[in-house]
Amino acid sequence: MTLTVIILTKNEARHIQRAIDSVATVADSILVIDSGSTDDTIAISERLGADVIHNPWRNYATQFNFALDHLPEETDWVLRLDADEIVTPDLAREIEATLHKLGPEAKGVYVSRRMHFLGRRIRRGGVFPIRVLRLFRHGAGRCEDRWMDEHILVDGATADLSGEIIDDNLNSLTWWTEKHNSYASREVVDLLNLEYGFMAHETVADLSGGQQAGVKRWLKERIYARLPGGFRAFVYFIYRYVVRLGFLDGKEGTAFHVLQGFWYRYLVDAKLHEVRLYMQRNDVDAGRAIRDVLGIDVESSANTNEQNSRQEAQHS
């Protein structure tokens, strides 16, 4: 069974060797899709044997699905790995020992993902480990088309491995907050799309399957999204920090739960309110308001996705 690892990059010189080294024993090939690095990301990737393809960035989903269209023909399985993540040795050994034993009915594989923040493993708050589908058969999966919190959709049965992927970003807190400011804008796009339906809506939301990602997405879209803005961010933080004992994660954990569990969620709600106000005051639709306020051209992206779909249909 040949395994190709996909890594999306832009200025990841600090992380890319660590990520590639973590899959060196299991990957038959590594495909790096770069969106304009100006540091040594490309040179390091190529020195370590990865194939590098350049593609302009629109969002994670379109970039990852672009990668799927450029896999080596001999690829049997695909592993999604972020540049700031590492596959633990236990998971690497598990992949090596298990992948070839899976029957043809197994189309995807769930693994655990944990987070390190400011050098400390986050253990509490009810958010880690997250069960994520990161391994899937070539041709059986793709990334759901959305602007934030993307998951892999597979058509078929799934299996489970107990090993972990560790998210351990080594950049500064300033970088982290700037990144999450961008994330907040992208999440607003998905929330407004739930309400106005200006783009196709794909989601892993599902209670029947019992998978963690599906249950969490269902709760987020069906319950959390309907709660009052701002208030829901506060409630979520109390749940994580008090009810699920996030305060026991130490000083670094407190910073993580406050910033990711409250500040980020409140920022999403504040930006959502800002876009809605712009729509009311200027009598424009959601797509125009998103472009003017957040600087995201969802209409252009939707047209590009439609063109890509037509091209795929013509080649099939």
Side-chain angles (χ1 to χ4, degrees):
M1 291 293 179
T2 58
L3 172 65
T4 296
V5 179
I6 294 176
I7 306 176
L8 309 187
T9 61
K10 183 177 181 180
N11 293 334
E12 292 287 357
R14 183 170 291 169
H15 301 112
I16 190 64
Q17 178 162 350
R18 187 185 63 176
I20 291 176
D21 286 347
S22 75
V23 295
T25 61
V26 294
D28 296 283
S29 60
I30 296 170
L31 180 61
V32 170
I33 308 296
D34 189 81
S35 55
S37 290
T38 56
D39 62 6
D40 292 332
T41 298
I42 296 173
I44 296 171
S45 300
E46 292 178 338
R47 175 172 58 81
L48 295 173
D51 294 320
V52 179
I53 299 177
H54 304 271
N55 193 54
W57 180 265
R58 185 160 57 248
N59 58 40
Y60 192 102
T62 56
Q63 193 78 336
F64 189 83
N65 288 330
F66 171 87
L68 293 180
D69 293 333
H70 293 80
L71 290 172
E73 292 184 4
E74 64 273 14
T75 299
D76 294 311
W77 285 86
V78 181
L79 171 64
R80 168 188 169 183
L81 187 68
D82 289 348
D84 59 358
E85 294 177 334
I86 57 172
V87 169
T88 61
D90 285 345
L91 177 57
R93 285 190 291 268
E94 201 172 3
I95 291 172
E96 189 173 21
T98 305
L99 209 57
H100 68 281
K101 298 179 181 178
L102 295 177
E105 72 283 354
K107 304 300 184 183
V109 180
Y110 282 89
V111 302
S112 291
R113 175 177 171 270
R114 288 189 183 269
M115 170 77 72
H116 287 192
F117 189 78
L118 297 178
R120 181 178 183 129
R121 174 173 286 199
I122 305 301
R123 300 180 181 274
R124 299 172 180 84
V127 288
F128 300 111
I130 301 171
R131 296 294 292 172
V132 289
L133 196 151
R134 290 297 190 90
L135 269 167
F136 57 96
R137 287 189 190 273
H138 184 195
R142 61 186 176 83
C143 191
E144 56 180 339
D145 186 12
R146 55 190 297 123
W147 279 83
M148 188 62 201
D149 193 26
E150 313 86 354
H151 290 273
I152 300 298
L153 297 168
V154 295
D155 182 17
T158 59
D160 289 276
L161 297 180
S162 59
E164 296 181 346
I165 288 174
I166 304 297
D167 183 323
D168 184 17
N169 194 286
L170 303 176
N171 287 315
S172 68
L173 195 55
T174 297
W175 179 93
W176 188 95
T177 53
E178 290 172 351
K179 177 182 177 182
H180 279 73
N181 180 44
S182 174
Y183 281 178
S185 295
R186 289 157 52 182
E187 187 155 345
V188 167
V189 174
D190 286 332
L191 286 171
L192 287 170
N193 191 42
L194 275 178
E195 186 174 351
Y196 295 102
F198 48 82
M199 299 184 303
H201 175 65
E202 289 188 317
T203 180
V204 296
D206 181 21
L207 288 180
S208 62
Q211 291 292 347
Q212 186 185 40
V215 172
K216 284 189 172 183
R217 177 68 62 73
W218 188 93
L219 292 171
K220 187 175 182 179
E221 292 184 351
R222 303 296 180 86
I223 298 179
Y224 183 86
R226 298 178 182 180
L227 295 175
F231 170 76
R232 59 192 179 190
F234 178 75
V235 171
Y236 178 61
F237 170 70
I238 293 300
Y239 168 76
R240 271 177 55 168
Y241 194 66
V242 178
V243 178
R244 298 304 300 267
L245 305 179
F247 65 90
L248 294 178
D249 275 326
K251 186 178 294 185
E252 296 82 6
T254 293
F256 176 75
H257 292 300
V258 170
L259 290 172
Q260 202 272 343
F262 178 68
W263 171 79
Y264 170 71
R265 300 250 56 92
Y266 195 90
L267 182 62
V268 171
D269 288 345
K271 289 194 175 199
L272 181 62
H273 179 66
E274 181 185 25
V275 173
R276 284 175 171 160
L277 279 179
Y278 188 90
M279 294 171 63
Q280 295 170 4
R281 291 171 178 173
N282 296 278
D283 192 25
V284 296
D285 61 19
R288 171 68 182 274
I290 290 169
R291 187 189 68 189
D292 292 351
V293 177
L294 303 178
I296 298 174
D297 191 349
V298 295
E299 295 177 355
S300 175
S301 297
N303 292 336
T304 300
N305 289 342
E306 184 178 349
Q307 292 173 3
N308 291 340
S309 297
R310 286 200 296 265
Q311 291 173 357
E312 291 174 3
Q314 291 172 357
H315 291 300
S316 63

